[in-house]
Amino acid sequence: MKKFKRLLSIIVLGLSFVLSGCSGKAADGPRIGVIQLMEHTSLNMIYDSFEEELAELGYQDGVNCTILFKNAQGEQSNIGSIVSSFQSEKLDVVVAIATPTAQSAAQLAETTPVIFSAVTDPIASGLTSSLEHPDQNITGTSDEIAVAQILDLALQLQPELKTLGMIYNVGEVNSQTNIAKARDAAKALGLTVIEAPVANTSEVAQAAQVLSEKCDALFSPNDNTVATAMSTVTQITRSAGIPVYVGADSMVMDGGTATIGINYVDLGKETARMVDQVLQGTDVSAIPVKVFNENLSVYVNTDALEALHLTLPESLAQDEQLVMIQDPQ
């Protein structure tokens, strides 16, 4: 019986130790709340690099700070519940990853600084009226994409490109902004556009199938709904012999053909630096929104090129900013 009690004590002690290592455990120091919209490569990259950069800056979760991380799993109702729970958490700063999350978290800005990450159009999203001088206790990092450059890249890979299909979630402000730019860019290039807006991930497959039967290529901006379903989009478009040009490097990592844009790791790191500034006492209004629109890289999926029988032009092959990517293994 004594041996049994001792074994039971060891098990309980071990379980307590394991549980104490979970993210969000109480600690002295600042309390940081993080809301991520959903699981997909772009947003995961942002949070992982955000957490790593915070550690580099000296913030160790459970040691000298507390990080309360919540994932809404793509459900608007979950975002609302998380925001409500954060109102009673006495947080020093809130981080909102992706546009829909930031829009909901904005109500917290009345009492708590909010730092957003991966918001394409902060002004159209209602988060600030000025990128240079944030005026709502909210600032952050923007993943505005170079739509015109991406379509130029598509024509370099497909000089015969005539009809471009666009797939996006009409409910995402970030996508609305970029699709409007894409329409203008396509018109300037003489391309015919066919759109297939979706409302959720369950509609993505059918939209991709319909567009693949009518178009020479597909385009999707940095759309969270499409990004979540990239494996499905890739399977459909490659079977149809259709390239899909995308708005994020992570979407190329998940099978998209190519893009021109930022590295989402850099986005996460900059978000962490902004949090550090706030925790060090800098007023949010003194931290301009960081728009990543310089030194952009060209991301090309080599497996997609091979599957679609596309040849990389010499001018692109020699580009110092070229990043070659393979499908997930």
Side-chain angles (χ1 to χ4, degrees):
M1 179 62 70
K2 288 183 179 179
K3 289 183 178 180
F4 174 75
K5 288 183 178 179
R6 182 178 299 175
L7 178 60
L8 181 61
S9 297
I10 292 172
I11 293 173
V12 171
L13 180 62
L15 181 59
S16 299
F17 178 77
V18 170
L19 292 177
S20 70
C22 294
S23 178
K25 60 184 178 179
D28 293 331
R31 293 170 60 79
I32 304 166
V34 183
I35 312 173
Q36 181 172 316
L37 176 62
M38 60 175 64
E39 289 281 340
H40 68 68
T41 304
S42 295
L43 304 189
N44 294 343
M45 288 171 65
I46 290 171
Y47 180 71
D48 290 345
S49 58
F50 165 80
E51 190 176 40
E52 290 172 7
E53 184 66 12
L54 275 186
E56 287 292 323
L57 293 167
Y59 299 92
Q60 296 287 339
D61 183 27
V63 179
N64 60 0
C65 76
T66 299
I67 300 176
L68 296 176
F69 173 78
K70 303 291 184 180
N71 191 316
Q73 302 299 337
E75 295 292 337
Q76 189 64 41
S77 60
N78 289 344
I79 300 175
S81 297
I82 295 168
V83 169
S84 295
S85 70
F86 275 6
Q87 288 176 330
S88 60
E89 286 288 352
K90 297 181 180 179
L91 300 170
D92 295 286
V93 63
V94 170
V95 175
I97 303 176
T99 299
T101 311
Q103 289 176 303
S104 293
Q107 61 186 285
L108 297 172
E110 293 184 7
T111 57
T112 307
V114 173
I115 308 296
F116 59 76
S117 191
V119 171
T120 299
D121 193 338
I123 294 177
S125 300
L127 302 175
T128 181
S129 60
S130 169
L131 299 181
E132 294 76 19
H133 304 286
D135 54 4
Q136 298 183 38
N137 205 27
I138 304 172
T139 190
T141 55
S142 171
D143 60 345
E144 177 184 357
I145 67 174
V147 176
Q149 294 183 52
I150 294 172
L151 296 193
D152 283 337
L153 173 63
L155 282 170
Q156 290 183 62
L157 291 172
Q158 282 181 279
E160 75 286 357
L161 175 59
K162 299 297 182 184
T163 305
L164 182 67
M166 296 186 183
I167 181 172
Y168 61 97
N169 185 341
V170 70
E172 293 189 31
V173 175
N174 45 298
S175 293
Q176 294 173 12
T177 297
N178 286 317
I179 288 297
K181 292 179 180 178
R183 292 189 193 108
D184 292 340
K187 182 178 180 180
L189 294 169
L191 300 177
T192 299
V193 171
I194 300 176
E195 298 184 23
V198 300
N200 50 59
T201 53
S202 65
E203 298 178 3
V204 172
Q206 182 178 359
Q209 186 65 55
V210 169
L211 291 177
S212 294
E213 295 171 359
K214 299 179 179 180
C215 304
D216 302 314
L218 268 60
F219 168 75
S220 177
N222 45 354
D223 183 286
N224 293 292
T225 303
V226 179
T228 303
M230 270 307 295
S231 59
T232 299
V233 174
T234 298
Q235 182 179 8
I236 292 171
T237 53
R238 287 197 192 171
S239 295
I242 302 296
V244 53
Y245 303 100
V246 292
D249 61 337
S250 57
M251 295 171 79
V252 178
M253 296 175 189
D254 289 338
T257 305
T259 191
I260 293 179
I262 66 172
N263 184 323
Y264 275 71
V265 169
D266 294 337
L267 203 72
K269 288 182 177 181
E270 183 61 27
T271 305
R273 296 183 194 115
M274 289 183 169
V275 167
D276 178 51
Q277 286 182 269
V278 169
L279 294 178
Q280 295 299 325
T282 303
D283 192 88
V284 172
S285 62
I287 307 174
V289 173
K290 172 68 174 180
V291 180
F292 287 76
N293 54 12
E294 298 178 348
N295 300 317
L296 302 179
S297 296
V298 180
Y299 297 93
V300 177
N301 186 306
T302 55
D303 291 316
L305 292 186
E306 182 177 354
L308 299 169
H309 308 292
L310 296 175
T311 302
L312 196 65
E314 189 64 25
S315 58
L316 283 177
Q318 299 301 320
D319 194 322
E320 294 182 355
Q321 297 293 93
L322 177 65
V323 179
M324 305 298 280
I325 295 173
Q326 291 181 312
D327 286 340
Q329 300 301 316

